[in-house]
Amino acid sequence: MTPDARPAKGPLALSPELRQAARRIAQTEHLLVAMDFDGTISPLVDRADEARPLPRSAAAFAGLAALPRTTTALISGRALASLRAVASPPVDTLLIGSHGAEAWLGPGSAELALDEAQRRLLAEVRAVLEEIVEQAPGTLLEDKPAGVVLHTRLATDDVAEDAVAAARSVLQDRKGVFLKNGKRVLETSVVNASKGEGLTFLRQITGATAVLFAGDDVTDEDALGRLESGDVGVKVGLDFTQAEFRVEAPAHVAELLEALLQERSLVVAEEEPGTD
């Protein structure tokens, strides 16, 4: 966390200020609605493959995706294949996976390709983590195209801390290996990328004139830190953040998306030919 990180403004449900921000950003020429998935659109779960979007969030997100001059995107630490499987995103939703290392921008998008040195390094990283998991009950590994994730959510606190510390002691100084802390996970990757870079990339390719981004994890701060004047950043949960606004839980994210859909729909309807 950066030294100037601070508690976000407002109460934990949708504050009047956040509702006003949603009303304001709905007026922009081209709106990009970019959301984290786990802990934001979906509640956090112990087993990653059991995550699903809250029905209200999914419905509002799909409604936004169908509007003119509105682009929806998911920016996740998950691999793209995992993200598609659990999120079932609207067909036109853009996807950033593996913390920015993977991108899907529509049919024909190029898949992530590692060179031989990166593939060898990734195998070495996995071997290190396999040894740790064998000695740490309740921990497990998740493979991604550019990395391996050490999950500790099912482990006791002391086992989780020891496992992460052991992994860091071996990998943190290894050239070409990049580590990220998350909620009960340690992300390893042989590609240096971030959600912030993913968000900036999406802004550029869509020509968005304003962005709304919401996320709950430490890695989402990379994206929140890339927001510009006129954007809206929302932190989900109680951790310190760079975001201006905060909500308590994914249920409030659903409320935010519904409010944004209502406001954006009114703006679009007013601009459609033949409407009053």
Side-chain angles (χ1 to χ4, degrees), residues 2-250:
T2 57
D4 61 346
R6 61 193 185 280
K9 300 176 184 177
L12 298 180
L14 294 197
S15 65
E17 292 81 6
L18 180 50
R19 289 185 180 276
Q20 178 58 34
R23 189 173 302 115
R24 170 183 55 77
I25 203 170
Q27 306 288 327
T28 197
E29 174 64 23
H30 191 121
L31 175 62
L32 172 60
V33 183
M35 310 294 289
D36 173 46
F37 181 74
D38 295 280
T40 301
I41 287 182
S42 166
L44 291 174
V45 295
D46 288 337
R47 299 187 181 278
D49 60 353
E50 295 177 357
R52 294 295 183 275
L54 291 177
R56 286 174 57 196
S57 287
F61 198 63
L64 286 162
L67 292 177
R69 297 184 293 102
T70 307
T71 301
T72 54
L74 294 176
I75 302 179
S76 176
R78 287 178 179 265
L80 286 184
S82 172
L83 183 59
R84 287 194 188 93
V86 298
S88 300
V91 64
D92 292 330
T93 292
L94 307 182
L95 304 176
I96 298 291
S98 299
H99 296 285
E102 294 183 279
W104 186 84
L105 308 176
S109 293
E111 295 184 0
L112 175 67
L114 303 181
D115 61 30
E116 182 59 32
Q118 288 173 319
R119 289 194 293 270
R120 286 197 305 268
L121 183 57
L122 183 56
E124 294 171 6
V125 169
R126 196 182 203 289
V128 168
L129 295 178
E130 281 178 338
E131 291 184 8
I132 292 171
V133 166
E134 289 175 0
Q135 303 298 321
T139 64
L140 55 89
L141 300 183
E142 175 193 358
D143 290 303
K144 294 184 179 180
V148 185
V149 185
L150 173 62
H151 287 268
T152 65
R153 191 164 286 133
L154 299 177
T156 60
D157 289 346
D158 57 340
V159 169
E161 290 173 5
D162 288 347
V164 170
R168 279 195 164 276
S169 69
V170 177
L171 298 175
Q172 64 186 357
D173 295 325
R174 186 164 296 189
K175 185 177 180 181
V177 177
F178 306 95
L179 306 181
K180 294 180 185 292
N181 283 322
K183 291 184 176 179
R184 303 290 293 212
V185 299
L186 177 67
E187 301 265 358
T188 74
S189 179
V190 296
V191 174
N192 190 14
S194 73
K195 290 184 178 182
E197 292 170 345
L199 182 66
T200 297
F201 177 60
L202 290 177
R203 187 198 298 273
Q204 292 171 345
I205 65 166
T206 61
T209 51
V211 177
L212 182 144
F213 177 79
D216 75 305
D217 210 342
V218 176
T219 56
D220 294 311
E221 292 299 315
D222 291 331
L224 290 165
R226 296 292 187 99
L227 295 179
E228 301 175 359
S229 176
D231 295 340
V232 174
V234 181
K235 181 74 170 185
V236 185
L238 303 176
D239 296 334
F240 278 73
T241 183
Q242 302 172 75
E244 183 178 5
F245 301 100
R246 184 191 298 276
V247 296
E248 185 175 9

